[in-house]
Amino acid sequence: MAEYQQKLDRVFHALSDPTRRAVIQQLGSGPASVSALADPHKMAFQSFSQHLKVLEDSGLVISEKEGRVRTCKIAGDALVNAQEWIAAQRRRWNEQFDLLDIYLSELQEKDVDDE
Amino acid sequence: MAEYQQKLDRVFHALSDPTRRAVIQQLGSGPASVSALADPHKMAFQSFSQHLKVLEDSGLVISEKEGRVRTCKIAGDALVNAQEWIAAQRRRWNEQFDLLDIYLSELQEKDVDDE
DNA sequence: TTGATACTCAGGTATTGACCTGAGTATCAA
DNA sequence: TTGATACTCAGGTCAATACCTGAGTATCAA
């Protein structure tokens, strides 16, 4: 339970930064090395590296080192979890709308009866 | 452009805290006052109020004050935006998988040809 | 073997975040 | 009108975040 919540904390936190979202987007077109990912971003390589660490800690990205190159790719699960949490909230919220619709329809029917 | 990114920053940041996610969940069963929302959370009312401010700033929640009571409800759009961003990333990522599948199938066909 | 590459680690600073307390203000009920 | 309710505002602390610089350590290419 608490573990699932902490995972969501980390995933949403990871997604709350534009640099990190850009990395997810970059990795959408295939795996890449840390240098290749860092290249478009105007910041010290070490700063960028910390962003990657946040992404890895969140489970959104996984990486493997071969020689001196670390290659990163997206790990789907964390993204799925985040999307499903949002989807669940939207379902509940839409149900409320439906209930309201039903209630309003019923009210209207009564109005019609009263006429 | 940058505005859209900042909006996503705020939405994902808002969702990165368990108290705030709980509020979204609570509001899924209908509008509620600040006190009612604060009640289940063991923290100073003022602290909770700051969480609500984050939710409002993100556009996830809207509220209206009538008399001394502020009533809050979910505003769907921000949640939709967040979900769609994730969905778009997943689509791109799955396309990569599909491309890899095609590539691997082609490789295999060549192997078969070579036999 | 030497130099360049690709990270990796340690530490420093400035801002933001998550909580708190204390002191308002406005509204409503009696 | 008086007291309780429902916030609201100001400020303070402490930890976490987002950046930085400087100094490693491997690995690979020549």
Side-chain angles (χ1 to χ4, degrees):
Chain A
M1 303 288 136
E3 205 185 320
Y4 170 71
Q5 289 297 324
Q6 282 179 5
K7 198 151 195 167
L8 280 180
D9 286 4
R10 282 195 291 267
V11 170
F12 283 126
H13 172 244
L15 295 178
S16 74
D17 182 275
T19 299
R20 292 191 294 255
R21 282 198 306 278
V23 171
I24 298 291
Q25 244 159 356
Q26 286 172 260
L27 289 174
S29 51
S33 71
V34 178
S35 319
L37 290 170
D39 199 51
H41 302 282
K42 284 178 184 169
M43 72 176 61
F45 180 79
Q46 297 93 319
S47 307
F48 179 81
S49 181
Q50 287 181 315
H51 283 299
L52 261 188
K53 187 172 175 358
V54 172
L55 285 167
E56 286 213 58
D57 288 349
S58 74
L60 283 165
V61 165
I62 53 181
S63 73
E64 219 175 342
K65 196 162 185 175
E66 221 183 295
R68 33 176 194 172
V69 179
R70 178 172 295 280
T71 302
C72 304
K73 58 182 175 183
I74 293 183
D77 289 4
L79 217 42
V80 173
N81 283 347
Q83 197 184 13
E84 284 183 348
W85 186 88
I86 296 178
Q89 305 318 310
R90 287 188 60 193
R91 270 196 297 280
R92 294 201 350 114
W93 177 63
N94 286 323
E95 278 165 20
Q96 278 309 115
F97 263 116
D98 293 346
L99 287 174
L100 187 65
D101 275 353
I102 291 165
Y103 174 70
L104 291 176
S105 311
E106 282 172 359
L107 270 191
Q108 203 166 14
E109 273 175 39
K110 279 187 190 158
D111 284 353
V112 172
D113 291 352
D114 291 348
E115 275 173 38
Chain B
M1 303 291 136
E3 205 185 320
Y4 170 71
Q5 290 298 323
Q6 283 180 5
K7 198 150 194 168
L8 280 179
D9 287 3
R10 281 195 292 268
V11 170
F12 284 127
H13 172 244
L15 294 178
S16 73
D17 182 275
T19 299
R20 291 192 293 256
R21 283 199 306 278
V23 171
I24 298 290
Q25 243 159 356
Q26 286 170 261
L27 289 175
S29 51
S33 71
V34 179
S35 320
L37 290 170
D39 200 51
H41 302 282
K42 283 178 184 168
M43 72 176 63
F45 179 79
Q46 297 94 318
S47 307
F48 179 81
S49 181
Q50 288 182 315
H51 282 299
L52 261 188
K53 186 169 173 6
V54 172
L55 285 166
E56 285 213 57
D57 288 349
S58 74
L60 284 165
V61 166
I62 52 180
S63 73
E64 219 175 341
K65 196 163 185 176
E66 221 182 294
R68 30 176 198 176
V69 178
R70 180 173 294 279
T71 303
C72 305
K73 59 182 177 184
I74 293 182
D77 290 3
L79 217 42
V80 172
N81 283 346
Q83 196 183 14
E84 284 183 347
W85 187 88
I86 296 178
Q89 305 319 308
R90 287 188 60 194
R91 269 195 298 279
R92 292 202 352 113
W93 177 64
N94 284 323
E95 277 165 21
Q96 277 310 114
F97 263 116
D98 294 345
L99 286 175
L100 187 63
D101 275 354
I102 292 165
Y103 174 69
L104 291 175
S105 310
E106 281 173 0
L107 270 191
Q108 203 166 14
E109 272 174 42
K110 280 186 189 159
D111 284 355
V112 170
D113 291 351
D114 292 348
E115 274 173 41

